[in-house]
Amino acid sequence: MKYVYIKTWGCQMNEYDSSMIAMFLKKEKKYSITEKAENADILILNTCSIREKAQEKVFHQLGRWKKLKNKNSDIIISVGGCVATQEGKEIFKRANYVDIIFGTQTVHKLPYMIEEVQKKRKSMIDISFPNLEKFNHSLQPKVSGHTAFVSIMEGCNKYCSFCVVPYTRGHEISRPSDDILLEISILAEKGIREVNLLGQNVNAYETRAFNGKTCYFSDLLRLVSEIDGIDRIRFTTSNPLEFTDDIIDVYRDTKKLVSFLHLPVQSGSNRILRLMKRSYTIQDYENIVKKIKLARPNIQISSDFIVGFPGESEKNFLETINFIKKINFDMSFSFIYSSRPGTPAAEMKDNTSLSEKKKRLYILQNCINKQTMSWSRKMLGTIQSVLVEGVSKKNIMELYGRTENNRIVTFQGSPKIIGKFVNLEINKVHTHSLKGKLLLK
């Protein structure tokens, strides 16, 4: 038995890929997953290239693993994910003790590559893009808890000027709807009650169904809602450019779709959006939000923001702050712009100091936090439907669950209700979490 340690950085797609890697290896009956790198025979680093200095972060980690390999030359070190796809053979040049480099679309080949390295003691690389081949090798989905992520598509065609995803994940390609529905049906049979549909741009989903008709994202949402046992549906992430009326209509007639939407905007300035090549305007975004709120009046919206994009003036930043207040976003993922090698934005002139960017990020996050707290206060005294996920990590005498609008709620109750939906009266609020009282039926 060989022990495998998997370290994962980045988005939920990377987490999903790592779970697939674990399944592929366990299928071989000769690998076991360990939680400690020191105990491993095979070290796997699944990387992310979104943040600044992502490559350096990878090589720092590899340097730590090199010490383990110096003690045991039989250890196999594998690097995968977006940095592996982006850097390719350059990783071997800087870290010649690495044995395997695999890409975002070749995770299913890892068991074979490991076996070949063990036999021939020769490094291997495969960062090709064989479309959705990895899903053809997927097994019975792994279940942990009562919520699950399900990948419905890979890649992106948008080529935003700041983003590396089209280069590291490839072009948009959608999984067959029948395969997705089968996977979710199996998950439901195993006790999953909530699914989160994953993709770089889920609202671009489009494929042929078994009957020959085109299945769009709105169709897929409705089909998933018909699966017995699945009571709550989320998705991440989407692009305003393709948030079409047929998707908005689903909010009107599909109650299993949560009243919470993450819709990245990136900036509140039309000038910056043009530089980002986002291909929509602030007015377009506002119109989408108006339509969604007509279909689902109680919906709450979160977004992504990049602060300090090359060329962003003080005026442009203030436009973003005013836009945040106007839409009244509930939450956000917000970051200082990170230059990614090979992207058009990396060649743009950037005159804003790091200290100014940090100041702007602080102002933006403070604005969002105030709005988040305001939304939380509105929940005080309300009755919320909560999926009970387990025992609280902070207090073993309490359980925790999640509301539709993505708030964690802790409360006292019997472990017998884990995996079930319960009604809680919210009696205490914090910015990102709540306290509740269980209402008995």
Side-chain angles (χ1 to χ4, degrees):
M1 182 68 69
K2 297 290 183 180
Y3 290 93
V4 180
Y5 175 76
I6 305 173
K7 190 174 187 66
T8 308
W9 289 331
C11 64
Q12 290 296 342
M13 190 69 80
N14 271 22
E15 295 285 351
Y16 188 86
D17 284 346
S18 289
S19 69
M20 291 184 77
I21 290 169
M23 284 195 295
F24 293 141
L25 291 172
K26 285 179 181 178
K27 181 189 176 186
E28 301 296 316
K29 305 295 184 184
K30 55 186 176 184
Y31 301 107
S32 180
I33 306 299
T34 177
E35 298 299 319
K36 293 185 178 181
E38 295 78 11
N39 298 338
D41 303 289
I42 298 152
L43 298 165
I44 300 172
L45 181 59
N46 193 4
T47 65
C48 172
S49 60
I50 295 297
R51 292 288 152 258
E52 190 176 7
K53 299 181 180 176
Q55 288 84 349
E56 295 309 310
K57 185 179 178 183
V58 168
F59 289 111
H60 287 158
Q61 180 60 58
L62 292 176
R64 290 189 283 271
W65 282 358
K66 181 183 179 182
K67 295 176 183 178
L68 298 175
K69 189 156 185 169
N70 287 340
K71 295 178 182 178
N72 179 5
S73 61
D74 290 331
I75 286 177
I76 291 175
I77 298 178
S78 304
V79 182
C82 294
V83 173
T85 302
Q86 199 172 10
E87 295 295 306
K89 291 181 179 179
E90 292 299 314
I91 293 174
F92 286 143
K93 292 180 182 178
R94 286 189 60 179
N96 59 9
Y97 48 89
V98 169
D99 300 286
I100 295 170
I101 299 172
F102 63 97
T104 56
Q105 301 297 331
T106 53
V107 296
H108 59 290
K109 297 184 179 181
L110 196 51
Y112 165 76
M113 296 172 80
I114 290 172
E115 193 171 318
E116 286 297 295
V117 169
Q118 288 171 334
K119 286 179 183 177
K120 301 176 181 178
R121 304 307 301 178
K122 185 179 179 182
S123 61
M124 293 189 71
I125 180 171
D126 190 338
I127 53 173
S128 59
F129 289 93
N131 292 333
L132 296 174
E133 189 178 294
K134 69 181 181 183
F135 293 104
N136 297 333
H137 295 260
S138 63
L139 314 167
Q140 293 265 327
K142 179 185 175 184
V143 171
S144 177
H146 300 277
T147 66
F149 289 91
V150 176
S151 180
I152 67 168
M153 64 182 299
E154 288 267 350
C156 184
N157 294 346
K158 300 301 174 286
Y159 287 91
C160 300
S161 64
F162 56 85
C163 187
V164 297
V165 167
Y167 310 100
T168 59
R169 289 271 175 186
H171 293 300
E172 289 172 356
I173 183 166
S174 301
R175 287 181 67 192
S177 57
D178 299 338
D179 291 355
I180 295 168
L181 296 172
L182 176 60
E183 181 176 340
I184 295 174
S185 295
I186 294 170
L187 288 168
E189 289 175 0
K190 293 184 175 184
I192 293 298
R193 306 294 302 279
E194 173 184 303
V195 290
N196 195 326
L197 307 181
L198 280 181
Q200 272 73 38
N201 180 23
V202 291
N203 43 346
Y205 179 86
E206 181 181 338
T207 188
R208 290 281 179 185
F210 72 94
N211 58 6
K213 293 183 178 180
T214 302
C215 179
Y216 297 102
F217 184 54
S218 57
D219 301 316
L220 183 66
L221 287 171
R222 287 191 171 91
L223 289 168
V224 173
S225 74
E226 293 174 6
I227 296 175
D228 289 339
I230 299 300
D231 296 304
R232 190 180 277 175
I233 304 168
R234 302 182 189 273
F235 59 83
T236 186
T237 186
S238 52
N239 189 306
L241 190 62
E242 292 173 308
F243 213 96
T244 48
D245 288 348
D246 62 311
I247 298 173
I248 294 171
D249 286 341
V250 181
Y251 283 94
R252 189 172 284 110
D253 56 34
T254 307
K255 299 306 179 185
K256 290 184 179 181
L257 184 59
V258 296
S259 293
F260 186 84
L261 170 64
H262 184 72
L263 187 60
V265 65
Q266 307 301 353
S267 173
S269 164
N270 282 330
R271 174 176 172 270
I272 298 301
L273 289 178
R274 285 194 296 272
L275 291 174
M276 290 179 168
K277 294 188 176 180
R278 290 293 284 179
S279 301
Y280 56 82
T281 66
I282 290 308
Q283 290 71 33
D284 294 331
Y285 191 99
E286 289 179 8
N287 288 335
I288 292 169
V289 171
K290 287 177 183 177
K291 289 180 181 180
I292 293 171
K293 288 186 175 180
L294 282 173
R296 189 73 70 86
N298 62 334
I299 199 165
Q300 290 169 236
I301 298 172
S302 66
S303 196
D304 292 347
F305 293 94
I306 295 174
V307 174
F309 188 81
E312 181 188 70
S313 65
E314 179 71 16
K315 177 177 178 286
N316 299 146
F317 173 69
L318 291 176
E319 286 174 334
T320 297
I321 296 298
N322 291 333
F323 180 69
I324 287 171
K325 293 176 180 178
K326 184 175 183 179
I327 298 295
N328 195 15
F329 289 105
D330 180 19
M331 301 176 186
S332 80
F333 294 100
S334 49
F335 308 94
I336 291 174
Y337 166 74
S338 298
S339 175
R340 311 313 310 133
T343 60
E347 306 300 320
M348 295 179 184
K349 193 172 183 179
D350 185 2
N351 292 324
T352 308
S353 68
L354 180 60
S355 61
E356 175 62 23
K357 291 177 182 179
K358 288 181 177 179
K359 174 187 171 184
R360 291 179 187 177
L361 181 65
Y362 173 80
I363 293 170
L364 186 148
Q365 290 181 338
N366 188 51
C367 179
I368 290 281
N369 285 338
K370 287 179 180 178
Q371 292 180 185
T372 302
M373 191 61 191
S374 175
W375 279 107
S376 291
R377 287 196 184 104
K378 292 177 183 177
M379 299 177 72
L380 188 64
T382 63
I383 309 300
Q384 298 289 325
S385 176
V386 171
L387 174 57
V388 185
E389 296 185 31
V391 177
S392 171
K393 295 176 182 178
K394 294 183 178 180
N395 183 350
I396 61 171
M397 301 303 291
E398 292 184 329
L399 303 176
Y400 79 96
R402 196 178 298 270
T403 63
E404 266 201 49
N405 61 347
N406 225 22
R407 299 289 199 282
I408 293 291
V409 190
T410 55
F411 64 99
Q412 291 184 344
S414 168
K416 292 180 181 179
I417 62 175
I418 292 174
K420 297 180 180 179
F421 282 90
V422 298
N423 287 329
L424 299 179
E425 182 180 356
I426 305 305
N427 53 30
K428 192 173 183 180
V429 300
H430 304 286
T431 304
H432 297 287
S433 65
L434 308 166
K435 286 274 188 180
K437 178 183 178 182
L438 180 63
L439 299 180
L440 300 175
K441 292 181 179 180

